[in-house]
């Protein structure tokens, strides 16, 4: 058999392809065009109208909301501890904290603001020692037993000449105290404290109550020591961070914008959840006692006029909750949904802004024929202003598409959580398929949006045209896309692993005190749980490394698209030289007939 003739190099300009026509040579093209107009104006207007509505929701929440109910604990009369008349009394003391877990489970108690059917009083400090009212003290006065002994734990307004047995029967003063420490603004007992011998509490109930309470709240001493560790190690945690922030200029801007979006949504959701007027009702610890049958329990009352000399022992006007009537309260669910949509849309828009700005800066570098002479003086600032001025609508369009898919995934996750107890394998299989499809769709949209923003930054066209052009360009070079994507992912993975692993190892040796001879200024603090600052340092290093390498990844993607177009537009001749750098020309085995920087590019 004779030798097969060598095939001629395939020219992309000679045969049509299903992935579109290659880019043509344009002698006037110099990278990101300057003469551009606003794109996707309708979506831009819709986005601004939505933002105005989002601001209106925040104003409504601010007017009707009352976040103090979750920031500060309330006593039995509904007054806040730590502010107002109780400014010097920041902690809440439960007379019988075990009733909180004996009457209902701790999850339900936490959802109701840790309220439980026992009198609660604001105190300046939590009890330090165990104490129980002795039998010989029942005939004494409240002033002798409580006030004179510096036990200011009775409800406000209890007279000092009241007999102790009367104050206990009406639950105006506690019958026992346990050594406690403040957590979440409330006094929680120590797990090893001595159990008081009172008739209304059995040993089994107390052990179950303490165990359930401390387990659900992650243990008193652990939470307190965690805060202590943070207070002693915060400086050293921010030391893997301060030096790196200066190199992450734009990711820092993106981080601040994301923080604003999340903080605004969180405050709006908090105010909406706490909207409504407080409601107070009559309550007694034991309605079966003589004299309580004539009292209409759970009826509205005035907390400023507490019932006195009542035939029902312990009758009080207590805070019950917030009324759900009113226009805002009836529309609360819709407003919260609007807020969630605003959170997703604004976050995705901020991320899109960062990608488009970085793409514009990197593209201006690639398409500068004489580097660095032709590179703009402030490429990042120019790209930022250009993107905000002309392409806010296009970014909002792409962010909205991604937002709708993410919300659909969130709804599907919620449905799956609710149906998790179902034993139908067919339903679980269908749900799994739907979740997998939406996950793949979200990944594809992120990929498409990312490349569309690059084309928007370069050519200034609308989102749909830019997405189409980017997709077609990538499909014409699918092999290069796959190879570069895998190599880039591998490099980014090893880069993150190196940074995070290095910070983790260094923080482990430092916070465990294994690095000696650093001097007093660099001496590791004494910690209860050394793993806490270590894990915080690792998480912080991961966030910062992700921000830095996201810039690197955007640079690679932008230069790759520019490189593909450079190969289609130019051939290295005197009239059509490549824009790529000399190093890349050598790697590809190509050359320009006119050396870069020696002659002027022909118009």
């Amino acid at each position: 058999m004779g030798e097969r003739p060598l095939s001629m190099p395939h020219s992309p300009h000679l045969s049509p392809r299903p992935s579109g026509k290659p880019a043509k040579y344009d002698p006037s093209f110099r990278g990101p065009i300057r003469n551009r107009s606003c794109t996707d104006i309708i979506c831009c207007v819709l986005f601004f109208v939505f933002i105005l509505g989002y601001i209106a929701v925040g104003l409504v929440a601010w007017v009707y909301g009352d976040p103090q109910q979750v920031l500060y604990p309330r006593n039995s009369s509904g007054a806040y501890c730590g502010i107002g008349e109780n400014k010097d009394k920041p902690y809440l003391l439960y007379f019988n904290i075990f009733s909180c877990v004996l009457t209902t489970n701790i999850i339900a108690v936490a959802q109701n603001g840790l309220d439980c059917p026992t009198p609660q009083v604001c105190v300046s400090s939590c009890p330090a020692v165990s104490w129980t009212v002795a039998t010989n003290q029942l005939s004494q006065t409240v002033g002798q037993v409580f006030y004179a002994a510096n036990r200011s734990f009775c409800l406000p307004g209890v007279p000092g000449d009241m007999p102790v047995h009367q104050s206990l029967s009406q639950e105006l003063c506690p019958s026992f105290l346990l050594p406690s420490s403040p957590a979440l603004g409330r006094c929680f007992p120590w797990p090893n404290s001595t159990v008081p011998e009172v008739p209304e509490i059995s040993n089994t109930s107390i052990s179950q109550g303490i165990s359930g309470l401390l387990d659900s709240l992650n243990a008193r001493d652990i939470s307190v020591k965690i805060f202590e560790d943070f207070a002693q190690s915060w400086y050293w945690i921010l030391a893997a961070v301060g030096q790196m922030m200066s190199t992450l200029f734009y990711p820092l801007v993106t981080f601040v914008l994301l923080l604003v979006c999340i903080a605004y949504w969180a405050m709006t959701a908090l105010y909406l959840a706490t909207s409504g007027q407080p409601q107070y009702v009559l309550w007694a610890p034991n309605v079966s006692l003589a004299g309580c049958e004539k009292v209409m329990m759970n009826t509205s009352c005035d907390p400023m006029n507490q019932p006195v000399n009542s035939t029902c022992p312990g009758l009080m006007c207590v805070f019950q909750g917030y009324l759900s009537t009113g226009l805002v309260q009836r529309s609360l669910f819709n407003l919260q949904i609007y807020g969630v949509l605003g959170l997703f849309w604004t976050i995705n828009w901020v991320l899109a802004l960062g990608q488009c700005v970085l793409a514009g800066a990197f593209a201006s570098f690639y398409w500068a024929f004489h580097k660095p002479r032709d590179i703009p003086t402030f490429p990042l600032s120019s790209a930022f202003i250009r993107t905000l001025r002309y392409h806010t609508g296009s970014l909002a369009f792409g962010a909205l598409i991604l937002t709708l898919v993410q919300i659909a995934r969130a709804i599907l996750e919620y449905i799956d959580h609710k149906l998790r107890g179902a034993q139908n394998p067919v339903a679980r299989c269908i749900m799994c398929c739907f979740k997998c499809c939406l996950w793949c769709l979200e990944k594809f949209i992120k990929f498409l949006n990312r490349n569309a923003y690059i084309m928007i930054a370069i050519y200034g066209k609308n989102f749909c045209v830019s997405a189409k052009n980017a997709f077609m360009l990538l499909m014409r070079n699918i092999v290069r896309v796959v190879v570069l994507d895998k190599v880039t992912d591998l490099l980014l993975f090893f880069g993150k692993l190196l940074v995070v692993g290095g910070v983790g190892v260094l923080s482990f040796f430092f916070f465990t005190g294994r690095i000696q001879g650093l001097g007093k200024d660099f001496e590791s603090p004494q910690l209860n749980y050394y793993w806490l600052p270590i894990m915080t340092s690792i998480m912080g290093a991961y966030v910062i490394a992700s921000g830095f390498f996201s810039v690197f990844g955007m640079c690679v993607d932008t230069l790759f698209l520019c490189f593909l177009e450079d190969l289609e537009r130019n051939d290295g001749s005197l009239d059509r030289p490549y824009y790529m750098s000399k190093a890349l020309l050598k790697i590809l085995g190509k050359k320009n007939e006119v050396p870069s920087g020696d002659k002027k590019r022909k118009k």
Side-chain angles (χ1 to χ4, degrees):
M1 297 179 63
E3 289 186 351
R4 297 179 59 185
L6 294 175
S7 59
M8 294 297 291
H10 179 73
S11 174
H13 301 281
L14 299 179
S15 62
R17 297 186 181 184
S19 54
K21 297 181 180 180
K24 296 181 179 180
Y25 170 70
D26 182 4
S28 63
F29 181 71
R30 295 292 185 272
I33 62 175
R34 298 183 179 180
N35 296 327
R36 58 179 70 200
S37 59
C38 296
T39 56
D40 296 304
I41 299 178
I42 296 179
C43 195
C44 180
V45 174
L46 177 63
F47 183 66
F48 277 113
V49 171
F50 181 87
I51 292 299
L52 292 177
Y54 198 22
I55 295 175
V57 171
L59 293 176
V60 170
W62 182 75
V63 171
Y64 292 95
D66 182 20
Q68 289 182 341
Q69 64 167 309
V70 293
L71 299 178
Y72 300 96
R74 284 177 174 268
N75 61 15
S76 297
S77 63
Y80 294 111
C81 299
I83 59 175
E85 61 182 4
N86 294 321
K87 183 178 181 179
D88 298 331
K89 300 178 179 180
Y91 308 119
L92 185 69
L93 175 69
Y94 298 87
F95 279 14
N96 182 8
I97 196 172
F98 307 110
S99 63
C100 302
V101 284
L102 294 179
T103 56
T104 182
N105 62 74
I106 189 63
I107 298 179
V109 173
Q111 291 177 343
N112 294 325
L114 293 180
D115 290 333
C116 56
T118 185
Q120 303 154 34
V121 61
C122 298
V123 295
S124 57
S125 60
C126 298
V129 295
S130 298
W131 175 82
T132 306
V133 175
T135 304
N136 60 348
Q137 293 177 324
L138 295 176
S139 59
Q140 300 180 10
T141 64
V142 171
Q144 294 174 330
V145 176
F146 288 95
Y147 299 153
N150 198 24
R151 301 188 185 102
S152 301
F153 302 119
C154 296
L155 295 179
V158 177
D161 57 352
M162 175 181 288
V164 171
H165 68 86
Q166 182 180 351
S167 68
L168 297 183
S169 63
Q170 298 183 9
E171 292 197 334
L172 300 178
C173 295
S175 59
F176 65 91
L177 298 174
L178 293 176
S180 309
S181 294
L184 301 177
R186 294 161 175 84
C187 296
F188 290 114
W190 298 356
N192 57 353
S193 58
T194 304
V195 177
E197 296 182 1
V198 289
E200 64 268 19
I201 300 178
S202 63
N203 291 334
T204 304
S205 300
I206 291 180
S207 62
Q208 293 176 349
I210 293 179
S211 176
L213 183 62
L214 296 180
D215 289 344
S216 301
L217 294 178
N218 201 22
R220 177 212 62 84
D221 55 342
I222 293 180
S223 62
V224 173
K225 291 178 180 178
I226 282 178
F227 284 110
E228 292 177 354
D229 290 347
F230 266 124
Q232 295 192 36
S233 61
W234 68 269
Y235 174 79
W236 299 108
I237 293 175
L238 297 179
V241 178
Q243 299 299 323
M244 298 175 66
M245 282 295 182
S246 59
T247 63
L248 301 174
F249 174 72
Y250 197 82
L252 183 60
V253 174
T254 301
F255 174 77
V256 172
L257 293 177
L258 291 176
L259 189 63
V260 170
C261 294
I262 296 175
Y264 180 81
W265 168 80
M267 294 302 298
T268 301
L270 177 62
Y271 273 84
L272 285 176
T274 57
S275 61
Q277 296 297 323
Q279 185 179 20
Y280 300 88
V281 296
L282 291 174
W283 171 85
N286 192 350
V287 295
S288 61
L289 295 179
C292 294
E293 65 276 1
K294 298 181 180 179
V295 180
M296 299 295 295
M297 298 296 176
N298 296 324
T299 56
S300 300
C301 59
D302 185 2
M304 303 305 296
N305 297 321
Q306 291 288 342
V308 293
N309 299 327
S310 174
T311 57
C312 180
L315 183 65
M316 297 180 60
C317 183
V318 298
F319 171 76
Q320 185 185 48
Y322 281 80
L323 295 175
S324 59
T325 59
L327 179 61
V328 175
Q329 287 69 40
R330 291 196 299 267
S331 306
L332 184 61
F333 178 77
N334 295 331
L335 294 177
Q336 293 284 24
I337 293 297
Y338 193 98
V340 172
L341 179 60
L343 172 67
F344 279 90
W345 199 357
T346 53
I347 285 180
N348 287 325
W349 184 87
V350 168
L351 295 176
L353 175 65
Q355 293 175 353
C356 195
V357 169
L358 292 174
F362 295 136
S364 63
F365 163 81
Y366 185 93
W367 294 108
F369 188 72
H370 300 99
K371 300 177 178 64
R373 189 181 68 190
D374 294 342
I375 300 176
T377 306
F378 301 105
L380 190 67
S381 301
S382 301
F384 184 82
I385 297 174
R386 185 169 59 240
T387 302
L388 281 182
R389 180 178 178 182
Y390 296 107
H391 307 303
T392 297
S394 297
L395 302 184
F397 190 14
L400 178 60
I401 297 175
L402 182 59
T403 295
L404 295 178
V405 176
Q406 290 175 338
I407 290 181
R409 284 195 64 196
I411 294 175
L412 206 61
E413 290 290 345
Y414 176 78
I415 296 175
D416 182 52
H417 177 73
K418 289 296 183 181
L419 300 179
R420 188 161 296 175
Q423 301 299 325
N424 191 337
V426 177
R428 287 186 298 181
C429 180
I430 295 176
M431 183 64 65
C432 183
C433 292
F434 276 123
K435 291 170 61 177
C436 181
C437 291
L438 283 180
W439 181 84
C440 294
L441 180 60
E442 181 182 356
K443 293 297 181 182
F444 174 75
I445 290 178
K446 285 183 176 180
F447 171 79
L448 188 62
N449 284 6
R450 186 182 182 91
N451 291 280
Y453 298 146
I454 297 175
M455 298 302 249
I456 291 174
I458 298 175
Y459 297 103
K461 297 182 180 180
N462 62 48
F463 177 82
C464 294
V465 174
S466 300
K468 174 188 174 183
N469 293 340
F471 183 76
M472 292 301 181
L473 178 61
L474 294 174
M475 289 299 102
R476 292 194 295 268
N477 302 270
I478 187 63
V479 176
R480 288 171 174 161
V481 172
V482 173
V483 173
L484 181 75
D485 184 66
K486 297 303 179 183
V487 173
T488 303
D489 289 345
L490 186 63
L491 291 177
L492 293 179
F493 172 75
F494 281 119
K496 292 180 182 179
L497 186 65
L498 179 63
V499 173
V500 176
V503 172
V505 172
L506 180 63
S507 60
F508 171 79
F509 280 97
F510 176 78
F511 287 113
T512 55
R514 302 189 182 188
I515 302 180
Q516 305 295 331
L518 296 179
K520 294 183 178 180
D521 294 336
F522 296 93
E523 185 178 356
S524 60
Q526 297 296 325
L527 303 175
N528 300 302
Y529 305 104
Y530 64 85
W531 54 264
L532 177 69
I534 294 176
M535 293 303 299
T536 306
S537 300
I538 292 176
M539 293 177 60
Y542 176 78
V543 171
I544 295 176
S546 299
F548 176 79
F549 286 111
S550 66
V551 177
F552 176 76
M554 197 65 200
C555 176
V556 171
D557 291 344
T558 303
L559 298 183
F560 180 61
L561 283 183
C562 295
F563 162 75
L564 295 180
E565 285 222 342
D566 195 6
L567 291 180
E568 292 185 350
R569 288 178 178 273
N570 308 302
D571 57 6
S573 64
L574 183 64
D575 294 331
R576 297 166 57 186
Y578 293 116
Y579 277 80
M580 64 187 73
S581 63
K582 293 181 179 180
L584 186 56
L585 284 171
K586 292 180 180 179
I587 293 176
L588 298 176
K590 298 180 180 293
K591 64 179 180 178
N592 283 330
E593 293 184 6
V594 51
S596 177
D598 293 345
K599 299 181 181 180
K600 292 185 177 178
R601 177 176 170 85
K602 298 182 65 176
K603 304 294 183 184

